Amino acid sequence: MDILIIDDDCVDRKIIKKSLCASTSNDHHIVEASSVLQGIKAIKNRSFDVIILDYRMPDVNGLELLIDLRSKPDLGDTAIIMASGSEESHLSLACIEAGAQDFISKQDINRERLDKALQQAKTRFQMEQKKHASYLQVKEMAEKDALTGLSNRYHFDEMISVLIANSKRNKQSIALLSLDLDSFKIINDTLGHSAGDAILKEVVNRISSCLRSNEGFARVGGDEFAIVIGGIQAISIISVITNRICDVFKSPFKVENHEVYCGVSIGVALFPTDACNAQELMKCADIAMYRAKQSEDNNICYFKSEYQQTFHRRFSIQNSMSTLLDSSSFTLVYQPVFSTITSELTSIEALIRWPKSETIYTPDEFIPIAEESGIMVELGQWIIKTAIAQLSVWHHKFSQKLALSINISPLQLRDAGFTEFLVNTCQKSSIHNQYVTLEITEPTLFKKNEVITHTLKHLCELGFNLALDGFGLGLTSINLLTTSPISIVKLDKSMLTLNPCTHFSMLKALSLMLNTLEYSIVAKGVETQQQLDQCAELSLAGVQGFLLAKPMSTEHLEKRLEYLLDTV
Protein backbone atom coordinates (compact mmCIF):
# COMPACT_ATOMS: atom_id res chain seq x y z
CA MET A 1 0.00 0.00 0.00
CA ASP A 2 1.37 3.45 -0.97
CA ILE A 3 1.16 5.78 2.02
CA LEU A 4 2.02 9.49 2.37
CA ILE A 5 2.71 10.88 5.85
CA ILE A 6 2.34 14.68 6.09
CA ASP A 7 3.44 15.98 9.51
CA ASP A 8 5.72 18.85 10.54
CA ASP A 9 6.91 16.95 13.66
CA CYS A 10 9.75 14.54 12.72
CA VAL A 11 9.26 12.50 15.91
CA ASP A 12 5.57 11.93 15.12
CA ARG A 13 6.50 10.91 11.56
CA LYS A 14 9.03 8.35 12.92
CA ILE A 15 6.44 6.89 15.32
CA ILE A 16 3.88 6.54 12.52
CA LYS A 17 6.44 5.05 10.13
CA LYS A 18 7.71 2.61 12.78
CA SER A 19 4.17 1.42 13.50
CA LEU A 20 3.49 0.95 9.78
CA CYS A 21 6.70 -1.00 9.26
CA ALA A 22 5.72 -3.28 12.13
CA SER A 23 2.50 -4.15 10.32
CA THR A 24 1.79 -7.83 9.70
CA SER A 25 1.54 -7.22 5.93
CA ASN A 26 4.71 -5.08 5.91
CA ASP A 27 4.25 -4.24 2.21
CA HIS A 28 3.81 -0.48 2.63
CA HIS A 29 5.67 2.05 0.49
CA ILE A 30 5.99 5.15 2.65
CA VAL A 31 6.74 8.74 1.61
CA GLU A 32 7.24 11.52 4.17
CA ALA A 33 6.47 15.27 3.89
CA SER A 34 7.19 17.86 6.59
CA SER A 35 4.66 20.44 5.34
CA VAL A 36 1.46 20.78 3.37
CA LEU A 37 3.37 22.27 0.43
CA GLN A 38 5.75 19.27 0.35
CA GLY A 39 2.72 17.00 0.57
CA ILE A 40 1.04 18.71 -2.39
CA LYS A 41 4.24 18.30 -4.41
CA ALA A 42 4.37 14.59 -3.54
CA ILE A 43 0.69 14.13 -4.51
CA LYS A 44 1.34 15.75 -7.90
CA ASN A 45 4.26 13.40 -8.61
CA ARG A 46 2.50 10.13 -7.75
CA SER A 47 -0.71 8.69 -6.39
CA PHE A 48 -1.22 7.26 -2.90
CA ASP A 49 -3.69 4.80 -1.44
CA VAL A 50 -3.79 6.56 1.92
CA ILE A 51 -2.59 9.91 3.28
CA ILE A 52 -1.96 10.22 7.03
CA LEU A 53 -2.34 13.96 7.57
CA ASP A 54 -1.52 16.02 10.66
CA TYR A 55 -4.44 18.26 11.62
CA ARG A 56 -2.45 21.22 12.91
CA MET A 57 0.62 22.50 11.01
CA PRO A 58 2.22 25.95 10.45
CA ASP A 59 1.49 28.07 7.34
CA VAL A 60 -1.23 25.82 5.85
CA ASN A 61 -2.88 23.33 8.19
CA GLY A 62 -3.96 19.82 7.35
CA LEU A 63 -7.69 20.58 7.41
CA GLU A 64 -7.26 23.09 4.57
CA LEU A 65 -5.47 20.45 2.45
CA LEU A 66 -8.23 17.94 3.25
CA ILE A 67 -10.93 20.37 2.09
CA ASP A 68 -8.96 21.17 -1.08
CA LEU A 69 -8.52 17.50 -2.00
CA ARG A 70 -12.19 16.70 -1.41
CA SER A 71 -13.31 19.65 -3.55
CA LYS A 72 -12.01 17.94 -6.68
CA PRO A 73 -14.64 16.40 -9.00
CA ASP A 74 -13.39 12.87 -8.32
CA LEU A 75 -12.95 13.47 -4.54
CA GLY A 76 -9.23 13.08 -5.10
CA ASP A 77 -7.85 9.57 -5.50
CA THR A 78 -6.81 8.94 -1.92
CA ALA A 79 -8.28 7.88 1.41
CA ILE A 80 -7.31 10.30 4.18
CA ILE A 81 -6.67 9.62 7.87
CA MET A 82 -6.37 12.73 10.01
CA ALA A 83 -4.04 12.69 13.02
CA SER A 84 -3.79 15.15 15.92
CA GLY A 85 -2.04 15.51 19.26
CA SER A 86 -5.18 17.10 20.64
CA GLU A 87 -7.92 14.87 22.04
CA GLU A 88 -10.72 17.45 21.67
CA SER A 89 -13.84 15.59 20.47
CA HIS A 90 -14.97 18.31 18.07
CA LEU A 91 -11.77 17.89 15.97
CA SER A 92 -12.63 14.38 14.85
CA LEU A 93 -16.14 15.46 13.82
CA ALA A 94 -14.76 18.45 11.88
CA CYS A 95 -12.35 16.20 9.99
CA ILE A 96 -14.98 13.56 9.15
CA GLU A 97 -17.39 16.27 7.96
CA ALA A 98 -14.62 17.72 5.77
CA GLY A 99 -14.11 14.37 4.04
CA ALA A 100 -11.66 12.32 6.08
CA GLN A 101 -12.26 8.58 6.37
CA ASP A 102 -10.88 8.30 9.90
CA PHE A 103 -9.35 10.31 12.76
CA ILE A 104 -6.54 9.09 15.08
CA SER A 105 -5.25 10.67 18.24
CA LYS A 106 -1.45 10.58 18.17
CA GLN A 107 -1.50 9.20 21.73
CA ASP A 108 -3.31 6.10 20.38
CA ILE A 109 -0.96 5.36 17.45
CA ASN A 110 0.32 1.75 17.43
CA ARG A 111 0.56 -1.06 14.94
CA GLU A 112 -2.89 -2.51 15.60
CA ARG A 113 -4.65 0.85 15.55
CA LEU A 114 -2.94 1.92 12.31
CA ASP A 115 -3.61 -1.43 10.59
CA LYS A 116 -7.28 -1.16 11.46
CA ALA A 117 -7.46 2.52 10.42
CA LEU A 118 -5.78 1.86 7.05
CA GLN A 119 -8.14 -0.96 6.09
CA GLN A 120 -11.26 0.87 7.24
CA ALA A 121 -10.23 4.14 5.60
CA LYS A 122 -9.52 2.45 2.27
CA THR A 123 -12.83 0.55 2.32
CA ARG A 124 -14.83 3.60 3.35
CA PHE A 125 -13.24 5.68 0.62
CA GLN A 126 -14.05 3.11 -2.05
CA MET A 127 -17.68 3.10 -0.90
CA GLU A 128 -17.77 6.90 -0.93
CA GLN A 129 -16.34 6.96 -4.46
CA LYS A 130 -19.09 4.62 -5.70
CA LYS A 131 -21.77 6.76 -4.05
CA HIS A 132 -20.23 9.91 -5.48
CA ALA A 133 -20.06 8.39 -8.99
CA SER A 134 -23.73 7.45 -8.68
CA TYR A 135 -24.53 10.99 -7.52
CA LEU A 136 -22.67 12.50 -10.48
CA GLN A 137 -24.55 10.21 -12.87
CA VAL A 138 -27.92 11.24 -11.40
CA LYS A 139 -26.81 14.88 -11.41
CA GLU A 140 -25.90 14.66 -15.10
CA MET A 141 -29.25 13.04 -15.90
CA ALA A 142 -30.99 15.86 -14.02
CA GLU A 143 -29.02 18.57 -15.82
CA LYS A 144 -28.54 17.16 -19.32
CA ASP A 145 -30.92 16.57 -22.20
CA ALA A 146 -30.87 12.84 -22.92
CA LEU A 147 -31.15 13.18 -26.71
CA THR A 148 -28.65 15.94 -27.48
CA GLY A 149 -26.38 15.94 -24.42
CA LEU A 150 -26.94 19.69 -23.99
CA SER A 151 -27.90 21.34 -20.73
CA ASN A 152 -31.61 21.15 -20.00
CA ARG A 153 -33.88 24.03 -18.97
CA TYR A 154 -33.23 23.58 -15.25
CA HIS A 155 -29.44 23.59 -15.56
CA PHE A 156 -29.51 26.42 -18.10
CA ASP A 157 -31.51 28.64 -15.72
CA GLU A 158 -28.88 28.04 -13.04
CA MET A 159 -26.13 28.79 -15.53
CA ILE A 160 -27.71 32.15 -16.45
CA SER A 161 -28.16 33.10 -12.78
CA VAL A 162 -24.48 32.45 -12.04
CA LEU A 163 -23.40 34.33 -15.16
CA ILE A 164 -25.59 37.31 -14.24
CA ALA A 165 -24.14 37.39 -10.71
CA ASN A 166 -20.61 37.42 -12.12
CA SER A 167 -21.52 40.04 -14.70
CA LYS A 168 -22.94 42.36 -12.04
CA ARG A 169 -19.56 42.29 -10.28
CA ASN A 170 -17.61 42.71 -13.53
CA LYS A 171 -20.12 45.21 -14.97
CA GLN A 172 -20.35 43.25 -18.24
CA SER A 173 -23.28 42.54 -20.53
CA ILE A 174 -24.86 39.17 -21.32
CA ALA A 175 -26.78 38.16 -24.44
CA LEU A 176 -29.44 35.47 -24.32
CA LEU A 177 -30.54 33.89 -27.60
CA SER A 178 -33.85 32.02 -27.78
CA LEU A 179 -34.10 29.75 -30.85
CA ASP A 180 -37.10 27.92 -32.27
CA LEU A 181 -37.05 25.64 -35.32
CA ASP A 182 -39.43 26.55 -38.15
CA SER A 183 -41.72 23.84 -39.55
CA PHE A 184 -40.19 21.17 -37.28
CA LYS A 185 -43.59 19.88 -36.15
CA ILE A 186 -44.61 19.25 -39.76
CA ILE A 187 -41.33 17.41 -40.42
CA ASN A 188 -41.77 15.38 -37.23
CA ASP A 189 -45.38 14.47 -38.08
CA THR A 190 -44.52 13.61 -41.68
CA LEU A 191 -41.27 11.64 -41.30
CA GLY A 192 -41.73 10.36 -37.75
CA HIS A 193 -40.07 10.96 -34.40
CA SER A 194 -36.87 9.04 -35.23
CA ALA A 195 -36.25 11.34 -38.19
CA GLY A 196 -37.12 14.33 -36.00
CA ASP A 197 -34.58 13.20 -33.40
CA ALA A 198 -31.91 12.83 -36.07
CA ILE A 199 -32.59 16.38 -37.27
CA LEU A 200 -32.39 17.72 -33.71
CA LYS A 201 -28.95 16.11 -33.26
CA GLU A 202 -27.75 17.61 -36.53
CA VAL A 203 -29.18 20.99 -35.51
CA VAL A 204 -27.06 20.83 -32.35
CA ASN A 205 -23.95 19.98 -34.38
CA ARG A 206 -24.53 22.87 -36.77
CA ILE A 207 -25.22 25.43 -34.06
CA SER A 208 -22.28 24.21 -31.96
CA SER A 209 -19.96 24.87 -34.89
CA CYS A 210 -20.95 28.56 -34.66
CA LEU A 211 -20.16 28.90 -30.96
CA ARG A 212 -17.11 29.12 -28.77
CA SER A 213 -16.62 26.39 -26.18
CA ASN A 214 -17.36 28.75 -23.27
CA GLU A 215 -20.80 29.80 -24.54
CA GLY A 216 -23.72 28.08 -22.80
CA PHE A 217 -25.97 26.06 -25.12
CA ALA A 218 -29.12 24.26 -23.99
CA ARG A 219 -32.20 22.47 -25.26
CA VAL A 220 -35.06 24.04 -23.32
CA GLY A 221 -38.01 22.40 -25.10
CA GLY A 222 -38.99 20.04 -27.92
CA ASP A 223 -37.53 22.10 -30.77
CA GLU A 224 -36.50 25.10 -28.67
CA PHE A 225 -32.90 25.96 -27.82
CA ALA A 226 -31.14 28.73 -25.92
CA ILE A 227 -27.64 30.19 -25.94
CA VAL A 228 -26.10 32.50 -23.34
CA ILE A 229 -23.06 34.59 -24.20
CA GLY A 230 -21.15 36.53 -21.56
CA GLY A 231 -18.66 39.37 -21.69
CA ILE A 232 -20.42 41.25 -24.49
CA GLN A 233 -18.37 44.26 -25.60
CA ALA A 234 -20.35 45.18 -28.72
CA ILE A 235 -23.73 44.18 -30.16
CA SER A 236 -22.01 43.41 -33.46
CA ILE A 237 -20.63 40.23 -31.86
CA ILE A 238 -24.19 38.93 -31.43
CA SER A 239 -25.06 39.84 -35.02
CA VAL A 240 -22.10 37.82 -36.27
CA ILE A 241 -23.12 34.76 -34.24
CA THR A 242 -26.85 34.91 -35.10
CA ASN A 243 -26.15 35.39 -38.82
CA ARG A 244 -23.71 32.50 -38.71
CA ILE A 245 -26.37 30.29 -37.11
CA CYS A 246 -28.96 31.25 -39.74
CA ASP A 247 -26.46 30.46 -42.51
CA VAL A 248 -25.93 26.86 -41.33
CA PHE A 249 -29.67 26.24 -41.71
CA LYS A 250 -29.66 27.14 -45.40
CA SER A 251 -28.49 23.70 -46.52
CA PRO A 252 -31.00 20.82 -46.29
CA PHE A 253 -31.00 18.16 -43.58
CA LYS A 254 -30.54 14.65 -44.95
CA VAL A 255 -32.45 11.99 -43.06
CA GLU A 256 -33.79 8.59 -44.14
CA ASN A 257 -33.24 9.29 -47.86
CA HIS A 258 -35.06 12.61 -47.56
CA GLU A 259 -33.79 16.14 -47.91
CA VAL A 260 -35.76 18.58 -45.78
CA TYR A 261 -35.31 22.26 -45.05
CA CYS A 262 -35.76 23.52 -41.53
CA GLY A 263 -35.26 27.19 -40.69
CA VAL A 264 -34.70 28.86 -37.35
CA SER A 265 -36.13 31.95 -35.63
CA ILE A 266 -33.90 33.74 -33.12
CA GLY A 267 -34.84 36.20 -30.39
CA VAL A 268 -32.14 38.19 -28.58
CA ALA A 269 -32.33 39.88 -25.17
CA LEU A 270 -29.54 41.67 -23.32
CA PHE A 271 -28.62 41.95 -19.65
CA PRO A 272 -28.84 44.49 -18.06
CA THR A 273 -30.42 46.51 -20.90
CA ASP A 274 -33.62 44.44 -21.22
CA ALA A 275 -33.83 42.55 -17.91
CA CYS A 276 -32.16 42.37 -14.51
CA ASN A 277 -32.58 38.66 -13.66
CA ALA A 278 -32.48 35.27 -15.35
CA GLN A 279 -36.26 34.73 -15.49
CA GLU A 280 -36.98 38.13 -17.03
CA LEU A 281 -34.09 37.79 -19.49
CA MET A 282 -35.41 34.44 -20.74
CA LYS A 283 -38.90 35.91 -21.03
CA CYS A 284 -37.64 38.87 -23.10
CA ALA A 285 -35.65 36.57 -25.40
CA ASP A 286 -38.75 34.38 -25.92
CA ILE A 287 -40.88 37.42 -26.76
CA ALA A 288 -38.30 38.54 -29.32
CA MET A 289 -38.19 35.02 -30.76
CA TYR A 290 -41.99 34.93 -31.23
CA ARG A 291 -41.71 38.30 -32.95
CA ALA A 292 -39.05 36.90 -35.28
CA LYS A 293 -41.28 33.90 -36.01
CA GLN A 294 -44.11 36.19 -37.09
CA SER A 295 -41.89 38.28 -39.34
CA GLU A 296 -41.75 37.40 -43.02
CA ASP A 297 -38.63 39.48 -43.67
CA ASN A 298 -36.27 38.63 -40.84
CA ASN A 299 -35.79 35.57 -38.65
CA ILE A 300 -33.61 37.44 -36.12
CA CYS A 301 -35.23 39.89 -33.71
CA TYR A 302 -33.82 41.94 -30.83
CA PHE A 303 -36.12 42.59 -27.88
CA LYS A 304 -37.83 45.97 -27.64
CA SER A 305 -39.89 47.11 -24.67
CA GLU A 306 -42.99 47.68 -26.82
CA TYR A 307 -43.01 43.96 -27.69
CA GLN A 308 -43.94 43.24 -24.05
CA GLN A 309 -47.39 44.76 -24.40
CA THR A 310 -48.01 42.94 -27.68
CA PHE A 311 -46.90 39.65 -26.14
CA HIS A 312 -49.18 40.08 -23.12
CA ARG A 313 -52.07 40.86 -25.45
CA ARG A 314 -51.35 37.69 -27.45
CA PHE A 315 -51.03 35.67 -24.24
CA SER A 316 -54.33 37.03 -22.98
CA ILE A 317 -56.06 36.06 -26.23
CA GLN A 318 -54.62 32.55 -26.27
CA ASN A 319 -55.42 32.06 -22.59
CA SER A 320 -59.04 33.11 -23.08
CA MET A 321 -59.89 31.12 -26.22
CA SER A 322 -60.12 27.67 -24.62
CA THR A 323 -62.43 29.00 -21.90
CA LEU A 324 -64.61 30.76 -24.46
CA LEU A 325 -64.83 27.61 -26.56
CA ASP A 326 -65.76 25.44 -23.59
CA SER A 327 -68.59 27.82 -22.73
CA SER A 328 -69.57 28.40 -26.39
CA SER A 329 -69.19 32.12 -25.78
CA PHE A 330 -67.96 33.05 -29.25
CA THR A 331 -70.59 34.52 -31.53
CA LEU A 332 -71.26 34.34 -35.25
CA VAL A 333 -72.46 37.21 -37.39
CA TYR A 334 -73.66 36.87 -40.97
CA GLN A 335 -73.09 39.11 -43.97
CA PRO A 336 -75.39 38.71 -46.99
CA VAL A 337 -74.13 38.41 -50.57
CA PHE A 338 -76.38 39.87 -53.29
CA SER A 339 -76.75 39.15 -56.99
CA THR A 340 -75.60 42.01 -59.22
CA ILE A 341 -78.20 40.98 -61.80
CA THR A 342 -81.37 40.51 -59.70
CA SER A 343 -80.26 42.34 -56.51
CA GLU A 344 -81.59 39.36 -54.58
CA LEU A 345 -79.91 37.94 -51.50
CA THR A 346 -78.29 34.71 -52.68
CA SER A 347 -75.94 33.58 -49.96
CA ILE A 348 -74.59 34.40 -46.51
CA GLU A 349 -71.05 34.44 -45.14
CA ALA A 350 -70.60 33.33 -41.51
CA LEU A 351 -68.06 35.41 -39.60
CA ILE A 352 -66.80 34.74 -36.09
CA ARG A 353 -66.64 37.49 -33.47
CA TRP A 354 -65.15 37.77 -29.99
CA PRO A 355 -67.92 37.88 -27.36
CA LYS A 356 -68.84 41.16 -25.70
CA SER A 357 -66.47 41.84 -22.82
CA GLU A 358 -64.21 44.55 -21.40
CA THR A 359 -61.64 43.86 -24.10
CA ILE A 360 -62.80 42.80 -27.56
CA TYR A 361 -60.36 41.35 -30.08
CA THR A 362 -60.82 41.33 -33.84
CA PRO A 363 -60.62 38.15 -35.97
CA ASP A 364 -57.43 39.53 -37.53
CA GLU A 365 -55.91 39.31 -34.03
CA PHE A 366 -57.26 36.07 -32.59
CA ILE A 367 -57.51 33.82 -35.68
CA PRO A 368 -53.71 33.78 -36.35
CA ILE A 369 -53.13 33.04 -32.65
CA ALA A 370 -55.69 30.23 -32.79
CA GLU A 371 -53.81 28.76 -35.76
CA GLU A 372 -50.41 29.05 -34.07
CA SER A 373 -51.64 27.48 -30.83
CA GLY A 374 -53.46 24.64 -32.61
CA ILE A 375 -56.87 25.56 -31.20
CA MET A 376 -58.07 26.53 -34.69
CA VAL A 377 -59.24 22.99 -35.45
CA GLU A 378 -61.56 22.97 -32.43
CA LEU A 379 -62.64 26.57 -33.07
CA GLY A 380 -63.31 25.74 -36.72
CA GLN A 381 -65.51 22.82 -35.70
CA TRP A 382 -67.56 25.10 -33.46
CA ILE A 383 -68.02 27.59 -36.33
CA ILE A 384 -69.13 24.85 -38.75
CA LYS A 385 -71.57 23.23 -36.29
CA THR A 386 -73.09 26.56 -35.26
CA ALA A 387 -73.36 28.01 -38.78
CA ILE A 388 -74.79 24.88 -40.42
CA ALA A 389 -77.29 24.38 -37.60
CA GLN A 390 -78.48 27.96 -38.17
CA LEU A 391 -78.63 27.40 -41.96
CA SER A 392 -80.84 24.39 -41.32
CA VAL A 393 -83.24 26.58 -39.33
CA TRP A 394 -83.47 29.04 -42.22
CA HIS A 395 -83.93 26.29 -44.80
CA HIS A 396 -86.91 25.00 -42.87
CA LYS A 397 -88.34 28.47 -42.31
CA PHE A 398 -87.90 30.08 -45.75
CA SER A 399 -88.75 28.82 -49.21
CA GLN A 400 -85.49 29.99 -50.79
CA LYS A 401 -82.54 27.70 -50.03
CA LEU A 402 -79.73 30.10 -49.21
CA ALA A 403 -76.09 29.09 -49.56
CA LEU A 404 -73.67 29.52 -46.67
CA SER A 405 -69.97 30.47 -46.86
CA ILE A 406 -67.57 29.44 -44.09
CA ASN A 407 -63.93 30.46 -43.87
CA ILE A 408 -61.58 27.48 -43.49
CA SER A 409 -58.05 27.52 -42.07
CA PRO A 410 -55.14 25.56 -43.61
CA LEU A 411 -54.82 23.87 -40.23
CA GLN A 412 -58.34 22.46 -40.61
CA LEU A 413 -57.61 21.22 -44.13
CA ARG A 414 -54.54 19.37 -42.83
CA ASP A 415 -56.61 17.71 -40.10
CA ALA A 416 -57.29 14.06 -40.99
CA GLY A 417 -60.82 14.14 -39.56
CA PHE A 418 -61.97 17.42 -41.14
CA THR A 419 -63.85 16.04 -44.17
CA GLU A 420 -65.68 13.40 -42.16
CA PHE A 421 -66.66 15.96 -39.52
CA LEU A 422 -67.99 18.38 -42.17
CA VAL A 423 -70.02 15.71 -43.97
CA ASN A 424 -71.50 14.35 -40.71
CA THR A 425 -72.42 17.85 -39.54
CA CYS A 426 -74.28 18.57 -42.79
CA GLN A 427 -76.09 15.22 -42.63
CA LYS A 428 -77.22 15.77 -39.03
CA SER A 429 -78.70 19.15 -40.00
CA SER A 430 -80.18 17.83 -43.27
CA ILE A 431 -78.13 20.32 -45.31
CA HIS A 432 -77.06 19.24 -48.79
CA ASN A 433 -73.35 19.77 -49.47
CA GLN A 434 -74.11 21.98 -52.47
CA TYR A 435 -75.40 24.72 -50.14
CA VAL A 436 -72.09 25.00 -48.30
CA THR A 437 -69.18 27.04 -49.69
CA LEU A 438 -65.76 26.70 -48.08
CA GLU A 439 -63.58 29.79 -48.40
CA ILE A 440 -59.80 29.52 -48.37
CA THR A 441 -57.19 32.26 -48.66
CA GLU A 442 -54.57 32.78 -51.36
CA PRO A 443 -51.65 31.73 -49.09
CA THR A 444 -53.41 28.39 -48.45
CA LEU A 445 -53.52 27.66 -52.18
CA PHE A 446 -50.09 29.13 -52.83
CA LYS A 447 -48.28 26.78 -50.42
CA LYS A 448 -49.30 23.76 -52.50
CA ASN A 449 -49.43 21.36 -49.56
CA GLU A 450 -50.16 17.81 -50.80
CA VAL A 451 -52.55 17.03 -47.94
CA ILE A 452 -54.48 20.27 -48.49
CA THR A 453 -54.63 19.71 -52.26
CA HIS A 454 -56.01 16.19 -51.76
CA THR A 455 -58.59 17.42 -49.20
CA LEU A 456 -59.81 20.21 -51.49
CA LYS A 457 -60.30 17.79 -54.41
CA HIS A 458 -62.16 15.36 -52.19
CA LEU A 459 -64.45 18.11 -50.88
CA CYS A 460 -65.21 19.19 -54.44
CA GLU A 461 -66.07 15.59 -55.37
CA LEU A 462 -68.47 15.49 -52.40
CA GLY A 463 -70.36 18.49 -53.81
CA PHE A 464 -69.07 21.32 -51.64
CA ASN A 465 -68.34 24.63 -53.34
CA LEU A 466 -64.82 26.03 -52.96
CA ALA A 467 -64.10 29.74 -53.01
CA LEU A 468 -60.79 31.59 -53.13
CA ASP A 469 -61.02 34.55 -50.77
CA GLY A 470 -58.96 37.73 -51.12
CA PHE A 471 -58.00 37.18 -54.78
CA GLY A 472 -55.88 39.95 -56.26
CA LEU A 473 -53.16 40.19 -53.62
CA GLY A 474 -50.68 38.81 -56.12
CA LEU A 475 -49.88 35.39 -54.62
CA THR A 476 -51.90 33.06 -56.82
CA SER A 477 -50.82 32.40 -60.38
CA ILE A 478 -53.46 31.72 -63.02
CA ASN A 479 -51.95 28.30 -63.65
CA LEU A 480 -52.27 27.42 -59.96
CA LEU A 481 -55.85 28.68 -59.89
CA THR A 482 -56.96 26.76 -62.97
CA THR A 483 -55.46 23.48 -61.71
CA SER A 484 -57.29 23.76 -58.38
CA PRO A 485 -60.94 22.75 -57.71
CA ILE A 486 -61.90 26.38 -56.99
CA SER A 487 -65.21 27.47 -58.60
CA ILE A 488 -65.78 30.86 -56.90
CA VAL A 489 -63.34 33.77 -56.75
CA LYS A 490 -63.92 36.50 -54.17
CA LEU A 491 -62.00 39.65 -55.08
CA ASP A 492 -60.07 41.32 -52.30
CA LYS A 493 -61.65 44.59 -51.20
CA SER A 494 -58.47 46.45 -52.19
CA MET A 495 -59.43 45.83 -55.82
CA LEU A 496 -62.28 48.31 -55.36
CA THR A 497 -60.35 50.94 -53.42
CA LEU A 498 -57.42 51.56 -55.76
CA ASN A 499 -56.93 54.89 -57.55
CA PRO A 500 -60.32 55.52 -59.25
CA CYS A 501 -58.52 56.46 -62.48
CA THR A 502 -56.84 53.08 -62.78
CA HIS A 503 -58.70 50.51 -60.71
CA PHE A 504 -61.70 50.09 -63.02
CA SER A 505 -59.54 49.18 -66.02
CA MET A 506 -57.68 46.64 -63.90
CA LEU A 507 -60.91 45.27 -62.46
CA LYS A 508 -62.41 45.03 -65.94
CA ALA A 509 -59.45 43.06 -67.29
CA LEU A 510 -59.42 40.76 -64.26
CA SER A 511 -63.15 40.07 -64.39
CA LEU A 512 -63.00 39.41 -68.15
CA MET A 513 -60.28 36.82 -67.62
CA LEU A 514 -62.08 35.12 -64.72
CA ASN A 515 -65.43 35.13 -66.52
CA THR A 516 -63.77 33.60 -69.57
CA LEU A 517 -62.40 30.85 -67.31
CA GLU A 518 -65.98 30.37 -66.04
CA TYR A 519 -65.37 31.36 -62.43
CA SER A 520 -68.18 32.86 -60.41
CA ILE A 521 -66.89 36.26 -59.21
CA VAL A 522 -67.91 37.98 -55.98
CA ALA A 523 -66.68 41.48 -55.13
CA LYS A 524 -66.04 42.20 -51.43
CA GLY A 525 -65.88 45.58 -49.72
CA VAL A 526 -68.55 47.37 -51.79
CA GLU A 527 -69.05 50.63 -49.90
CA THR A 528 -70.17 53.19 -52.51
CA GLN A 529 -72.84 53.32 -55.18
CA GLN A 530 -70.15 53.87 -57.83
CA GLN A 531 -68.45 50.63 -56.85
CA LEU A 532 -71.77 48.78 -56.99
CA ASP A 533 -72.56 50.20 -60.44
CA GLN A 534 -69.14 49.15 -61.74
CA CYS A 535 -69.61 45.60 -60.42
CA ALA A 536 -72.99 45.41 -62.18
CA GLU A 537 -71.47 46.77 -65.40
CA LEU A 538 -68.83 44.02 -65.31
CA SER A 539 -71.52 41.36 -64.74
CA LEU A 540 -69.95 40.04 -61.54
CA ALA A 541 -71.99 37.25 -59.99
CA GLY A 542 -72.25 38.73 -56.52
CA VAL A 543 -71.43 41.72 -54.34
CA GLN A 544 -70.85 42.02 -50.62
CA GLY A 545 -70.13 45.07 -48.49
CA PHE A 546 -71.29 47.72 -46.03
CA LEU A 547 -73.29 49.58 -48.70
CA LEU A 548 -75.66 46.64 -48.98
CA ALA A 549 -75.47 45.04 -45.56
CA LYS A 550 -73.05 44.95 -42.67
CA PRO A 551 -72.34 41.69 -40.80
CA MET A 552 -75.30 41.24 -38.44
CA SER A 553 -76.52 38.99 -35.66
CA THR A 554 -78.76 35.99 -36.26
CA GLU A 555 -81.79 37.91 -35.00
CA HIS A 556 -81.21 40.95 -37.22
CA LEU A 557 -80.55 38.84 -40.30
CA GLU A 558 -83.65 36.75 -39.68
CA LYS A 559 -85.81 39.91 -39.61
CA ARG A 560 -84.29 40.92 -42.94
CA LEU A 561 -84.90 37.47 -44.40
CA GLU A 562 -88.53 37.64 -43.27
CA TYR A 563 -88.85 40.86 -45.26
CA LEU A 564 -87.00 39.60 -48.35
CA LEU A 565 -87.99 35.93 -48.53
CA ASP A 566 -91.19 33.97 -48.43
CA THR A 567 -91.71 31.66 -45.48
CA VAL A 568 -92.49 28.00 -46.06
Side-chain angles (χ1 to χ4, degrees), residues 266-300:
I266 305 175
V268 182
L270 301 173
F271 166 88
T273 306
D274 300 323
C276 58
N277 59 54
Q279 186 178 3
E280 285 297 316
L281 190 63
M282 196 73 187
K283 181 180 174 182
C284 291
D286 283 342
I287 290 173
M289 182 270 290
Y290 286 123
R291 188 82 178 189
K293 214 164 183 63
Q294 292 169 349
S295 173
E296 296 180 0
D297 303 322
N298 194 1
N299 52 354
I300 302 170

Side-chain angles (χ1 to χ4, degrees), residues 329-508:
S329 296
F330 281 103
T331 59
L332 289 184
V333 293
Y334 300 89
Q335 186 173 30
V337 178
F338 296 88
S339 168
T340 55
I341 300 172
T342 64
S343 299
E344 293 179 350
L345 192 156
T346 56
S347 66
I348 303 162
E349 181 178 357
L351 301 165
I352 188 167
R353 292 292 184 264
W354 195 269
K356 290 183 179 180
S357 59
E358 271 187 43
T359 307
I360 297 178
Y361 304 104
T362 66
D364 288 343
E365 281 187 289
F366 68 80
I367 291 296
I369 296 171
E371 290 178 337
E372 289 172 19
S373 63
I375 202 173
M376 190 63 229
V377 172
E378 188 180 354
L379 180 61
Q381 289 180 347
W382 180 86
I383 294 171
I384 290 169
K385 283 167 59 177
T386 306
I388 288 180
Q390 184 58 58
L391 182 66
S392 177
V393 171
W394 288 331
H395 274 203
H396 283 89
K397 188 170 185 178
F398 301 106
S399 59
Q400 184 179 334
K401 305 297 183 185
L402 295 171
L404 174 74
S405 294
I406 302 173
N407 294 282
I408 302 298
S409 160
L411 208 63
Q412 293 172 266
L413 294 173
R414 287 200 296 265
D415 178 40
F418 172 72
T419 302
E420 183 181 0
F421 170 80
L422 180 63
V423 170
N424 289 341
T425 303
C426 289
Q427 288 177 346
K428 287 177 183 177
S429 296
S430 301
I431 294 294
H432 294 296
N433 299 350
Q434 70 189 66
Y435 292 111
V436 177
T437 298
L438 306 174
E439 295 191 18
I440 64 171
T441 59
E442 280 195 318
T444 304
L445 196 62
F446 182 71
K447 288 178 183 178
K448 295 181 68 175
N449 181 282
E450 289 183 9
V451 175
I452 291 177
T453 301
H454 173 76
T455 302
L456 290 176
K457 288 181 178 178
H458 190 203
L459 290 169
C460 183
E461 291 167 358
L462 291 171
F464 293 98
N465 299 300
L466 299 178
L468 182 63
D469 192 19
F471 184 78
L473 294 175
L475 291 175
T476 308
S477 68
I478 297 302
N479 180 58
L480 187 59
L481 180 61
T482 54
T483 55
S484 72
I486 299 294
S487 59
I488 301 168
V489 173
K490 300 188 81 169
L491 301 178
D492 187 74
K493 61 182 181 180
S494 63
M495 298 301 296
L496 298 179
T497 56
L498 295 171
N499 187 320
C501 299
T502 59
H503 88 275
F504 184 67
S505 298
M506 184 183 297
L507 187 61
K508 184 177 182 180

